[in-house]
Amino acid sequence: MNNFIERLLADQYRTLLFSKDFSEGAIFGFECNDGWANLIEATLRLTQQHAELKALDVKVTQVKEKFGQLRIYHRGGDGSIGAAFEIAESVSGSVCEMCGMPGAAICIDGWLQARCGHHSRPHQIARDENLKSDENYIASYVEAVNLILSFFGEGAVLWVQQERTAFAGRRPCEMLATEEGCQTIFTFLNRLEHGVGV
């Protein structure tokens, strides 16, 4: 991940990423490409909010790509935080690690990688240096995953990984890759929660 994005995330989420005796300007060292930056930020925001609300001590120890998906390792927290990280891992397989556009995990030169159509060719590996934080996506993702966690509890991870008739056979983890998909899931669950027919 480029240093500018790393520094922004490290500054904004220092309580999650560093011990209390960290030095100013420390770099966390995200071991993935920039396309997952919005997904990582959304997950860190959700984690920070939950940890503050429940007075939990959570430390993210490593963030990296493995087998075409994001992996977030941590210590502390509770079941909801663990589920939030697992959901992010599932979603990452539907987000291009290079540019952040919707994609899928494919095999390139013997390696599983999450890529969009544009970045799926072996020679098309240049990163997009102009990626910007997408606050609308981040906020929609946090809102949708918060509702998923409160609605399904321990079954939240399984719910996002399975095809759903309500979404024309799509898996929620694929839909959580876009702002529109996050909003669709939020609206659906919000209506169910309040007993409104869908």
Side-chain angles (χ1 to χ4, degrees), residues 106-113 120-123 125:
I106 60 170
C107 187
I108 299 176
D109 294 331
W111 297 94
L112 274 177
Q113 299 176 18
S120 63
R121 295 176 295 281
H123 65 279
I125 58 171

Side-chain angles (χ1 to χ4, degrees), residues 35-99:
W36 286 340
N38 287 321
L39 177 60
I40 291 168
E41 182 170 356
T43 304
L44 293 176
R45 183 179 299 176
L46 178 69
T47 302
Q48 186 167 282
Q49 288 173 357
H50 184 76
E52 288 173 359
L53 182 68
K54 302 284 185 176
L56 299 170
D57 182 26
V58 182
K59 288 292 178 262
V60 173
T61 57
Q62 188 177 31
V63 178
K64 68 178 192 173
E65 180 276 333
K66 185 175 181 180
F67 301 122
Q69 288 188 315
L70 179 66
R71 296 288 191 263
I72 302 174
Y73 300 100
H74 72 288
R75 64 177 190 275
D78 61 8
S80 291
I81 286 175
F85 290 148
E86 286 188 59
I87 289 170
E89 290 174 8
S90 296
V91 173
S92 68
S94 299
V95 176
C96 179
E97 186 186 359
M98 305 303 282
C99 68

